[in-house]
Amino acid sequence: MTDRHERRLTADDVAVGETGPEVVVEELEREDFVRYAGASGDFNPIHYDEPYARDAGNESVFGQGMLTAGFASHMVSDWFGMDRVDRFTIRFQSRVFPGDTIAVTGEITDVEDGDAAAVVTADLEATTDDGTVVLSGETVASIPRE
């Protein structure tokens, strides 16, 4: 994380093409899926029971989509501050498996200047270490002038 992201952004700090802080989650483990199941209540065995996942036609257990969405929301919160986020939309594109490293990035695609704030739109993307896009999305945040 750079100094730019250690203080709260103002409207003067944002511009189309700016990128947010990358959030990297290294080497997901089955334990991460189990912990997320406990936190979310999603105890579908397809996320932690290898024979069950394989019998269902999957190559292995895989992470909950909302776990990946949580990584994306972490990045957005670090970038803009959760209290400034007006909208957060995502689309799941692929699954994450044990051993995957996930990187979440974002880029500002639009800035609408207003009297009190700039309304910022940014594209989001989460990819695995082999470049597979597992999540894409968009966020809109209102960034005050001061």
Side-chain angles (χ1 to χ4, degrees):
M1 186 179 300
T2 65
D3 289 343
R4 173 174 78 130
H5 300 291
E6 291 178 357
R7 64 177 178 77
R8 300 229 4 164
L9 291 175
T10 68
D12 293 333
D13 297 325
V14 294
V16 171
E18 292 282 330
T19 58
E22 182 178 56
V23 168
V24 176
V25 180
E26 295 185 3
E27 297 189 29
L28 286 170
E29 297 178 6
R30 184 181 318 255
E31 183 178 324
D32 296 316
F33 307 156
V34 172
R35 287 177 185 220
Y36 186 78
S40 69
D42 180 355
F43 289 102
N44 186 330
I46 208 163
H47 298 300
Y48 57 85
D49 184 327
E50 190 75 28
Y52 184 91
R54 288 185 185 268
D55 287 348
N58 299 289
E59 64 186 76
S60 177
V61 298
F62 54 92
Q64 298 88 342
M66 292 306 290
L67 174 63
T68 308
F71 301 150
S73 70
H74 175 156
M75 190 281 283
V76 169
S77 179
D78 283 355
W79 193 4
F80 299 122
M82 196 53 86
D83 59 321
R84 297 171 166 184
V85 175
D86 300 320
R87 188 175 66 216
F88 176 77
T89 59
I90 54 165
R91 176 177 295 185
F92 302 115
Q93 309 240 333
S94 189
R95 296 175 286 181
V96 297
F97 296 95
D100 281 345
T101 292
I102 308 299
V104 183
T105 58
E107 180 177 331
I108 295 173
T109 58
D110 188 52
V111 176
E112 294 179 29
D113 285 319
D115 291 337
V119 177
V120 173
T121 302
D123 286 343
L124 309 171
E125 189 171 82
T127 58
T128 60
D129 45 348
D130 70 358
T132 301
V133 176
V134 294
L135 175 147
S136 61
E138 181 182 88
T139 191
V140 175
S142 296
I143 309 300
R145 293 249 155 252
E146 294 188 34

